[in-house]
């Protein structure tokens, strides 16, 4: 059985850290952003930049907190039209050093911005608006559930669909996926597409470090693709989605990135369960596993439908300022991924129907004999 080996970093510990002594400076960030005070942002960021020796002395959690704080300053500078490393002395070296210490990209990610961000008065915010806080909160709640779902996926690869353990684990996976539905419903209810598109999205622009551009802390970089790869996408995806998740993989936690290499080479759960239904339609545990997989896929379809609706509104020509999402994807790509997920859900449903028909036919022949 494959072990995912996800390292559980204590989020609360990172949240409480302030290795760059930024608590006071970050409280001014929304006000500086509101008036586009590029000079003030550059000065604040410059006063926070650690030197090489200081980074070397940081603990691993302190490195995460430092990247979190440098990242939100850098994202603000970029939002107002300047490349951060060109305007803040020592910033590029600090970002590269922190990247080397943590094994992550040389800028902040969705983990830094949402999960490792303090709560309450110390919260690091671009705008200070309540909708920004609510959006981050939904990501903060759902990311641990996605990590738990990935661990369950890792345990499914080597378990036979006829084994009751397989059914149990897929049912646990359904619970984790439904929490994502709850999170997206919370966003729909509390965050307007206009706020995201016009007020928040500009802070997630890519900026350059050591000659390469890195996207900002986009919610699109949560590792949902790993769940897709396990359930259906390893052998039932397409080139466009593959290109997207391959590009997104570098934004994942370092302990998850090897899975983006291994899991595409494994048969998907949909394929394995469909094969099991054809070969053993009369085995009750196979049928139970197939029903559980269908529920998991329906949950993904529901989540993606809600996400697509929000994104379509946010990136409508009359609302948004961009044609691509903060994670680099387009509305057309979201539509394609939703269609692929739905197609695999239908494939699973049809496989169950064929298995039920084969079982009934076998029973009728037994009665005749």
């Amino acid at each position: 059985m494959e072990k995912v080996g996800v390292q559980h970093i204590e989020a609360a510990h990172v949240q409480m850290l302030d290795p760059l002594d930024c608590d006071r400076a970050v409280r001014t960030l929304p006000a500086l952003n509101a008036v586009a005070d590029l000079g003030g942002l550059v000065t604040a960021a410059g006063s926070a930049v650690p030197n090489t020796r200081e980074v070397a002395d940081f603990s691993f959690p302190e490195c995460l907190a430092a990247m979190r704080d440098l990242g939100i300053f850098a994202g603000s500078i970029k939002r107002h039209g300047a490349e951060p490393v060109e305007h803040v002395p020592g910033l590029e070296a600090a970002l590269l050093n922190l990247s080397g210490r943590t094994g992550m990209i040389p800028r902040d990610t969705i983990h830094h911005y949402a999960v490792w961000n303090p709560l309450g008065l110390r919260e690091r915010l671009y705008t200070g608006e309540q909708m920004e806080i609510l959006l981050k909160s939904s990501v903060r709640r759902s990311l641990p559930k996605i990590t738990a779902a990935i661990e369950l996926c890792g345990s499914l690869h080597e378990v036979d669909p006829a084994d009751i353990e397989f059914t149990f684990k897929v049912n646990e996976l359904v619970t984790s996926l439904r929490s994502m539905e709850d999170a997206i419903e919370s966003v729909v209810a509390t965050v307007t597409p206009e706020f995201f598109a016009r007020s928040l999205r500009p802070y997630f622009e890519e900026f350059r470090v050591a000659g390469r551009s890195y996207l900002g802390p986009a919610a699109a970089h949560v590792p949902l693709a790993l769940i897709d790869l396990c359930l259906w996408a390893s052998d039932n995806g397409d080139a466009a989605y593959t290109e997207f998740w391959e590009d997104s993989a570098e934004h994942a936690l370092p302990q998850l990135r090897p899975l983006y290499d291994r899991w595409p080479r494994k048969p998907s759960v949909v394929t394995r369960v469909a094969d099991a239904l054809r070969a053993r339609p009369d085995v009750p545990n196979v049928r139970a596993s197939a029903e559980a997989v269908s529920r998991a896929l329906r949950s993904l379809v529901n989540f993606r439908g809600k996400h697509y609706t929000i994104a379509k509104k946010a990136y409508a020509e009359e609302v948004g300022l961009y044609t691509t999402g903060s994670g680099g994807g387009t509305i057309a790509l979201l539509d394609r991924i939703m269609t692929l997920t739905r197609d695999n859900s239908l494939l699973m449903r049809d496989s169950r129907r064929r298995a039920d028909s084969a079982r009934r036919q076998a029973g009728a022949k037994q009665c005749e004999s």
Side-chain angles (χ1 to χ4, degrees):
M1 183 182 300
E2 178 173 8
K3 299 291 186 182
V4 172
V6 176
Q7 177 187 355
H8 292 283
I9 301 164
E10 186 59 49
H13 180 48
V14 181
Q15 290 168 7
M16 65 182 249
L17 297 173
D18 183 24
L20 305 182
D21 195 21
C22 282
D23 276 356
R24 180 175 298 179
V26 292
R27 284 200 290 272
T28 69
L29 195 57
L32 293 173
N33 280 326
V35 296
D37 185 353
L38 183 59
L41 290 167
V42 168
T43 298
S47 66
V49 172
N51 61 41
T52 300
R53 187 170 63 184
E54 288 171 327
V55 172
D57 288 339
F58 286 160
S59 67
F60 181 74
E62 285 174 329
C63 287
L64 298 176
M67 183 66 85
R68 173 198 69 205
D69 293 345
L70 291 178
I72 201 162
F73 280 118
S76 298
I77 291 168
K78 176 63 180 184
R79 186 262 179 273
H80 298 298
E83 282 292 334
V85 301
E86 294 177 5
H87 285 72
V88 181
L91 177 61
E92 185 169 60
L95 294 175
L96 291 170
N97 285 335
L98 289 168
S99 172
R101 290 288 314 279
T102 61
M104 302 182 74
I105 62 168
R107 74 160 298 175
D108 55 329
T109 68
I110 189 62
H111 302 278
H112 298 85
Y113 176 61
V115 179
W116 299 324
N117 201 325
L119 305 177
L121 295 176
R122 295 183 58 241
E123 191 163 12
R124 278 70 167 132
L125 298 166
Y126 291 111
T127 70
E129 297 289 339
Q130 184 68 14
M131 280 190 275
E132 180 182 3
I133 296 171
L134 292 170
L135 183 60
K136 284 205 302 96
S137 177
S138 72
V139 176
R140 184 185 290 117
R141 292 196 311 270
S142 60
L143 256 176
K145 299 293 185 182
I146 294 174
T147 300
I150 290 168
E151 290 184 305
L152 285 167
C153 286
S155 68
L156 286 174
H157 278 118
E158 310 303 330
V159 182
D160 191 319
D163 192 323
I164 192 64
E165 181 186 2
F166 188 98
T167 310
F168 287 157
K169 288 185 178 297
V170 177
N171 282 326
E172 287 183 63
L173 178 60
V174 171
T175 300
S176 293
L177 294 177
R178 284 179 177 166
S179 71
M180 291 168 49
E181 290 185 66
D182 294 340
I184 200 79
E185 286 175 1
S186 173
V187 171
V188 171
T190 59
V191 181
T192 66
E194 291 80 7
F195 171 77
F196 178 79
R198 294 185 174 275
S199 298
L200 197 56
R201 169 67 176 85
Y203 291 98
F204 300 148
E205 279 290 91
E206 63 185 18
F207 62 73
R208 297 182 68 80
V209 181
R212 270 202 62 190
S213 292
Y214 294 91
L215 291 167
H221 291 148
V222 301
L224 182 58
L226 287 173
I227 299 172
D228 287 336
L229 285 168
C230 176
L231 286 180
W232 60 270
S234 68
D235 48 18
N236 290 301
D238 71 357
Y241 187 30
T242 298
E243 181 180 6
F244 176 76
W245 62 252
E246 285 180 343
D247 289 342
S248 297
E250 70 172 355
H251 296 264
L253 295 172
Q255 59 269 27
L256 294 182
R257 285 201 297 270
L259 305 184
Y260 286 92
D261 295 324
R262 294 202 299 268
W263 286 9
R265 298 194 292 268
K266 295 176 179 285
S268 69
V269 163
V270 164
T271 295
R272 292 172 58 217
V273 173
D275 289 346
L277 283 170
R278 280 192 295 271
R280 296 170 285 177
D282 56 334
V283 177
N285 282 345
V286 172
R287 298 198 301 275
S289 291
E291 291 167 4
V293 172
S294 288
R295 287 194 296 274
L297 291 167
R298 282 198 300 271
S299 187
L300 277 176
V301 169
N302 291 339
F303 169 81
R304 289 214 154 95
K306 294 179 175 71
H307 182 212
Y308 175 78
T309 299
I310 297 171
K312 191 173 181 180
K313 291 178 180 177
Y315 291 100
E317 186 174 349
E318 65 275 14
V319 173
L321 306 173
Y322 301 89
T323 58
T324 61
S326 49
T330 63
I331 296 299
L333 178 63
L334 285 180
D335 186 39
R336 179 59 183 156
I337 297 170
M338 184 170 63
T339 299
L340 287 168
T341 311
R342 187 184 295 115
D343 288 348
N344 279 275
S345 180
L346 295 174
L347 187 157
M348 196 76 267
R349 185 196 66 184
D350 292 344
S351 295
R352 291 169 58 200
R353 287 178 175 174
R354 285 192 295 270
D356 289 342
S357 177
R359 195 172 69 257
R360 286 193 297 268
Q361 289 175 10
K365 288 180 180 178
Q366 277 189 334
C367 290
E368 290 173 2
S369 62

